[in-house]
Amino acid sequence: MVSDCCLSGFEWDGTPTGSEGTLASNKAYIVGPESPAAILVIADLFGWTFINERLLCDHYAKEANATIYMPDFFGGEVVDPAILKAGPPFAFDLEAWHKRNWKDVRWPEISACAAALREKHARVGVIGYCYGGWSSFQLGSSAHTPRLVDAISAAHPTWLTKEEIDAIGVPVQICAPEMDPTFTPELKRYANEVIPTKGLPYEYVFFPGVAHGFATRGDPGQEREWAAMLRGKRAQVNWMKEWLHGDGKW
């Protein structure tokens, strides 16, 4: 489930450099060079207009040399980032949001966007934050023949299940903060026990002393949070470069 930690964090300053377009039938933030490689970024609940995640997309485009697409998967609903400054208690109905955006509601759009990228690009990766965690694992499932995507990276995943971990069929990276009520110690242990038995490239990157949301909403004024965010961004860039621009063999 989503929880109050999904509404905590810091809004960054900056001016995104990409443009708004469409992917499949969804509005999308698009940035980067025309490339054989594409990265589908699946946002947390702040969605496709959130400045922090658009700025991260800009970095991925430049540093991973890929075309980046971050679609709207929440039906046009935008959570006002002002809630980050207001802090708890949050005047937001997480349970209602949960029902509007549950897996079976949004999965058709998510899979359609991945399929559209597969038609256009030779290699497709997925970076998912929070809500993007379960969906990146489903996109990387071994049930898809041929594969929908070539590699995934999930940071502080939400709604992820053991069954989705069991089904993973592509190179997978997890960026895991120490404190996370959504990616629990039990799920961390399960992932680290099961994924290495799959014969897949697997990278588990642990971030001590930080909490859920660090990768997209870390506070520049907090040295540990900001350093963790930068380390996470570098890890994800390197993972995507390896599996989108490398030889792709494993």
Side-chain angles (χ1 to χ4, degrees), residues 123 140 142 147 149-151 168-172 198-202 239 242-243 247-250:
R123 299 275 180 91
S142 58
R147 293 194 303 246
V149 301
D150 298 295
I168 192 64
V170 300
V172 54
K198 298 290 183 180
L200 303 170
Y202 174 47
W239 188 252
E242 175 66 27
W243 299 109
D247 62 18
K249 296 177 181 177
W250 43 273

Side-chain angles (χ1 to χ4, degrees), residues 1-205:
M1 297 295 179
V2 288
S3 66
D4 280 356
C5 65
C6 299
L7 294 169
S8 300
F10 192 91
E11 185 178 17
W12 306 336
D13 293 323
T15 303
T17 61
S19 59
E20 295 185 359
T22 59
L23 178 63
S25 298
N26 293 60
K27 292 182 179 179
Y29 179 72
I30 304 170
V31 63
E34 285 294 327
S35 171
I39 299 174
L40 177 66
V41 175
I42 305 177
D44 61 21
L45 62 74
F46 286 93
W48 77 296
T49 62
F50 188 36
I51 188 172
N52 295 18
E53 293 178 70
R54 288 193 173 196
L55 292 171
L56 284 168
C57 287
D58 292 355
H59 280 278
Y60 298 142
K62 182 178 180 180
E63 297 171 29
N65 189 28
T67 312
I68 313 299
Y69 302 79
M70 182 168 64
D72 169 25
F73 288 130
F74 303 139
E77 180 179 2
V78 173
V79 178
D80 187 348
I83 201 170
L84 295 171
K85 295 179 182 178
F90 297 107
F92 184 80
D93 190 340
L94 276 169
E95 186 61 27
W97 187 93
H98 172 179
K99 291 178 180 177
R100 289 192 295 274
N101 297 291
W102 185 238
K103 296 179 180 183
D104 58 358
V105 176
R106 299 301 178 192
W107 172 248
E109 301 170 44
I110 293 168
S111 59
C113 284
L117 291 183
R118 175 58 83 198
E119 291 183 2
K120 185 177 180 181
H121 296 268
R123 299 275 180 91
V124 179
V126 183
I127 294 176
Y129 300 108
C130 188
Y131 184 92
W134 72 267
S135 41
S136 60
F137 267 77
Q138 285 207 15
L139 288 171
S141 171
S142 58
H144 304 304
T145 305
R147 293 194 303 246
L148 274 177
V149 301
D150 298 295
I152 70 167
S153 175
H156 38 81
T158 298
W159 296 358
L160 184 62
T161 66
K162 290 180 179 179
E163 290 75 17
E164 288 162 343
I165 293 170
D166 289 341
I168 192 64
V170 300
V172 54
Q173 178 191 64
I174 298 175
C175 294
E178 182 178 357
M179 289 83 74
D180 193 341
T182 65
F183 189 48
T184 62
E186 180 186 4
L187 276 177
K188 289 182 173 80
R189 285 192 298 271
Y190 190 82
N192 284 323
E193 289 171 358
V194 169
I195 298 175
T197 70
K198 298 290 183 180
L200 303 170
Y202 174 47
E203 183 172 78
Y204 180 84
V205 191

